[in-house]
Amino acid sequence: MKHTVATFKKAKTEGRKLSMLTAYDYSTARLMDEAGIHGILVGDSLGNVILGYGDTVSVTMEDMIHHGAAVSRGVKNALLVVDMPFLSYQTSAYDAVVNAGRLMKEGRAHAVKLEGGREMVPQIRAIVQAGIPVMGHLGLTPQAIHALGGYKVQGKDEAAARKLLEDAKALEEAGVFAIVLECVPSALAGLITEAVSVPTIGIGAGAGCDGQILVYQDMLGMFSDFTPKFVRRYGEVGEAMKAAFASYIEDVGQGTFPGPEHGYQIADEVIEKLY
Ligand code: KIV
């Protein structure tokens, strides 16, 4: 079954949970799609887990287009959301539409995601009016990491919690089809989820959200720079990869790889003529 923004909204109405994962390349996206994931996000977290920058600030439009297009070739049924990178939309509604359009046309996205609350309403309205679905992102917004002062839980006091709730309503009103809630206390995320008609997709926001998203390297144990508390490990793929790499190095060193079965044959007479 093909998943669209309409099926996302319907899932909320019918009380069905949505699962999303990040992906950055064709073969991983294909595996997720075949496993039945509802949505794939080409996150600007690629700055951390693919490009090794340590944050998402340096990620460019070209990076997002390149990885979006690669992922799109592996997607048959999932909804493909591509992140708008830092300063591709904050500058003006015009820039936001032009860059969202590039992510759709060149990055083959079905929808775009951008970070921020009520201050992003003009941009969201303009993108939605251009016929492009927008996913919002509230709570810990990594593009603003230097303003937030670090990777911390958001919305913990009354004023901050109220602001998050009002921001979610403003985003809904502006026309987003879903909202990511990142690093938000579970009870607050549950309250926001009840207050808006569009699905909330949580990451470190508890089980009360309408869906969940994880960075796949985190859930597979492939990224050891930093593991947030909200991650559950569904595999130790990093360890399995390291063990496989070590076996390969050992076999090559010992001369036991490649074996005869990995080679190509040629008639002995041909070789003899070469001596
Ligand atoms: O960039 C990303 O991977 C994200 C998710 C963490 C929601 O925005």
Side-chain angles (χ1 to χ4, degrees):
M1 174 191 168
K2 225 167 170 53
H3 302 292
T4 64
V5 294
T7 56
F8 264 52
K9 286 182 187 166
K10 196 159 176 256
K12 173 151 186 153
T13 318
E14 295 174 356
R16 281 180 288 110
K17 297 274 189 189
L18 292 159
S19 54
M20 290 189 71
L21 285 168
T22 63
Y24 316 94
D25 69 88
Y26 165 79
S27 47
T28 311
R30 196 166 161 179
L31 291 171
M32 289 173 186
D33 196 79
E34 286 171 2
I37 199 82
H38 297 113
I40 292 180
L41 171 71
V42 183
D44 61 355
S45 51
L46 73 83
N48 301 90
V49 295
I50 301 292
L51 302 176
Y53 286 141
D55 62 37
T56 61
V57 171
S58 304
V59 175
T60 65
M61 277 294 295
E62 273 56 43
D63 293 331
M64 298 312 300
I65 288 168
H66 182 77
H67 288 271
V71 167
S72 79
R73 293 189 279 273
V75 167
K76 253 201 193 146
N77 294 316
L79 177 74
L80 174 57
V81 185
V82 178
D83 256 343
M84 299 198 71
F86 182 54
L87 288 196
S88 68
Y89 58 96
Q90 289 93 340
T91 43
S92 69
Y94 176 82
D95 286 351
V97 175
V98 169
N99 286 318
R102 287 193 69 199
L103 294 178
M104 303 291 281
K105 289 167 80 151
E106 301 169 57
R108 308 295 302 154
H110 304 145
V112 299
K113 176 167 81 59
L114 57 81
E115 299 179 4
R118 68 200 72 168
E119 69 286 1
M120 288 302 146
V121 163
Q123 282 88 333
I124 294 169
R125 278 197 206 288
I127 300 171
V128 171
Q129 268 167 24
I132 300 172
V134 179
M135 177 178 263
H137 185 155
L138 294 173
L140 176 58
T141 46
Q143 290 175 15
I145 202 62
H146 298 291
L148 294 174
Y151 294 94
K152 300 177 199 153
V153 179
Q154 302 295 308
K156 280 180 91 170
D157 62 38
E158 187 190 334
R162 199 175 291 285
K163 183 176 182 305
L164 268 184
L165 179 60
E166 293 311 318
D167 279 346
K169 290 180 184 165
L171 260 51
E172 177 191 25
E173 174 69 23
V176 299
F177 74 92
I179 302 172
V180 166
L181 296 176
E182 179 165 357
C183 283
V184 173
S186 305
L188 175 59
L191 200 146
I192 293 171
T193 299
E194 280 171 24
V196 295
S197 63
V198 295
T200 58
I201 309 294
I203 173 160
C209 294
D210 298 306
Q212 298 294 325
I213 183 164
L214 285 175
V215 170
Y216 88 83
Q217 284 88 344
D218 287 341
M219 57 96 81
L220 292 183
M222 294 171 69
F223 185 72
S224 53
D225 290 7
F226 173 68
T227 305
K229 165 189 158 93
F230 56 73
V231 171
R232 179 181 287 173
R233 284 277 180 90
Y234 285 86
E236 293 302 334
V237 175
E239 284 308 315
M241 285 172 80
K242 257 198 261 177
F245 296 149
S247 298
Y248 168 73
I249 293 163
E250 172 79 12
D251 287 356
V252 171
Q254 299 286 324
T256 56
F257 176 81
E261 70 279 24
H262 304 117
Y264 300 97
Q265 304 308 312
I266 186 172
D268 289 348
E269 312 87 81
V270 176
I271 292 296
E272 277 156 21
K273 282 187 188 141
L274 301 177
Y275 282 102

